[in-house]
Amino acid sequence: MRLSPRLTDESLQRVYEDWYSSGYIGTQAAQEGDKSRYREFERGHLARISKVVSPPGALLDVGTGSGLFLQVANRQGWRAIGLDFSSQAAELALRHHDVEVRVGRLSDLPADEQYDVITMFDYLEHTTRPAEDLQEAVRRLKPGGHLVVRVPNLGGWQARFMGPKWVGIISLHLSYFEPKTLADLVSKQGLVIVYSDMGNYQTLAELLGNKFAWIFRRATSSRQELGLGSDRAESQRSSKVRRALRFALASLHELIDHAGGWFGQSNYIFVVAKKPS
């Protein structure tokens, strides 16, 4: 399934430049200290990769964003660098996580530069040319190297139940994948899938703990904001109900998705594919 009409590369570039220069910068400091995000990369991503391949080795993360994943990977023994088309993202990643992020697309990398592992977390659904990007990734994999892909799962039970109201359908998701369509796309590049997962990496206790930690941070922030003047304080009080409702709906969504993961039907597909030696 694809978004129609398709966004051009130029339109997409403008959208992400606006996002990086506004909301992304505001959330970057929070991500730096976000233990749950670190744990997601450590247990949800690297632990799964380690079932197939382990460091040391050269790792390239495509669409790296904050750069936090690179920091986690380097600490586990990988020689990890990132690739992102935003120079702002690269600057922030270096500043906050002391990691190297190159600016551009896969096609901009030297043709003779190869890696043991290339990761694409929540990337293929955002690109205007998923098949071409996979081809470029395969060219830059060493023989016997591994490609790691995570995308939203259009074939999951929640997506099928909610239809067009599914949380995974947003304007910046240009392509949507089910397990079979993703497997077919990967196989057409000459890769062999060696690991596939649509389950959870968090326990239910961890999920609820993260939500309660979020409540505590918001409550602390609200108490501080109430000292900023009567007009601002009244605005903060009037928005408490809306925040509580958003939190309740978000929590319900996460719990529903977590339940789906017990049966291998979470909102995400995680695949590791190997390039023949």
Side-chain angles (χ1 to χ4, degrees):
M1 188 169 79
R2 303 179 183 87
L3 178 70
S4 180
R6 301 284 283 171
L7 290 173
T8 65
D9 285 341
E10 293 74 18
S11 297
L12 203 61
Q13 181 82 19
R14 287 198 296 272
V15 169
Y16 283 116
E17 283 176 354
D18 288 343
W19 182 66
Y20 275 118
S21 63
S22 55
Y24 184 82
I25 293 176
T27 61
Q28 176 65 32
Q31 282 188 344
E32 185 179 10
D34 191 344
K35 293 182 180 179
S36 65
R37 187 70 171 159
Y38 191 102
R39 187 163 55 245
E40 177 184 355
F41 288 137
E42 188 174 49
R43 294 177 52 185
H45 292 11
L46 287 170
R48 284 167 165 162
I49 295 172
S50 68
K51 295 177 183 292
V52 179
V53 58
S54 300
L59 184 150
L60 174 69
D61 184 43
V62 181
T64 199
S66 74
L68 178 58
F69 172 73
L70 300 177
Q71 184 185 75
V72 180
N74 282 329
R75 289 178 178 176
Q76 292 202 5
W78 292 102
R79 301 189 307 277
I81 66 170
L83 179 67
D84 203 286
F85 64 71
S86 170
S87 58
Q88 290 175 299
E91 292 169 5
L92 289 168
L94 177 62
R95 185 190 315 161
H96 289 280
H97 302 299
D98 192 27
V99 292
E100 177 188 354
V101 177
R102 299 183 182 180
V103 179
R105 298 182 178 275
L106 274 163
S107 56
D108 298 323
L109 295 176
D112 59 348
E113 192 169 279
Q114 293 191 310
Y115 299 87
D116 297 286
V117 175
I118 295 179
T119 57
M120 294 178 165
F121 301 124
D122 307 311
Y123 172 80
L124 280 184
E125 68 271 25
H126 291 271
T127 179
T128 58
R129 46 195 179 209
E132 290 84 349
D133 283 356
L134 281 180
Q135 289 174 354
E136 292 289 347
V138 171
R139 291 190 188 102
R140 286 158 178 80
L141 271 180
K142 294 179 181 179
H146 292 80
L147 176 70
V148 184
V149 175
R150 190 182 94 146
V151 293
N153 181 14
L154 184 66
W157 73 273
Q158 189 179 141
R160 294 182 181 278
F161 176 76
M162 298 187 71
K165 294 184 178 180
W166 178 47
V167 67
I169 296 181
I170 63 173
S171 60
L172 292 179
H173 286 178
L174 311 184
S175 301
Y176 296 84
F177 304 91
E178 296 181 358
K180 185 180 184 306
T181 56
L182 180 62
D184 288 346
L185 184 62
V186 169
S187 298
K188 286 180 180 178
Q189 314 308 321
L191 303 177
V192 178
I193 294 178
V194 293
Y195 178 84
S196 182
D197 192 356
M198 289 175 286
N200 302 316
Y201 76 92
Q202 286 181 310
T203 65
L204 183 59
E206 288 173 335
L207 180 69
L208 294 176
N210 290 335
K211 300 307 291 183
F212 283 121
W214 185 89
I215 293 175
F216 178 78
R217 289 198 299 270
R218 291 298 302 176
T220 302
S221 174
S222 296
R223 287 195 296 270
Q224 294 171 346
E225 290 167 347
L226 289 176
L228 296 178
S230 58
D231 292 342
R232 179 69 178 276
E234 182 62 30
S235 174
Q236 293 298 329
R237 292 189 189 98
S238 67
S239 67
K240 281 186 176 180
V241 173
R242 292 193 298 272
R243 288 204 305 269
L245 180 59
R246 286 198 301 270
F247 171 77
L249 291 174
S251 298
L252 178 61
H253 155 256
E254 290 194 39
L255 289 171
I256 291 173
D257 182 48
H258 197 84
W262 292 332
F263 303 98
Q265 289 288 312
S266 77
N267 264 340
Y268 290 96
I269 309 168
F270 192 102
V271 165
V272 183
K274 184 176 182 180
K275 181 177 181 178
S277 300

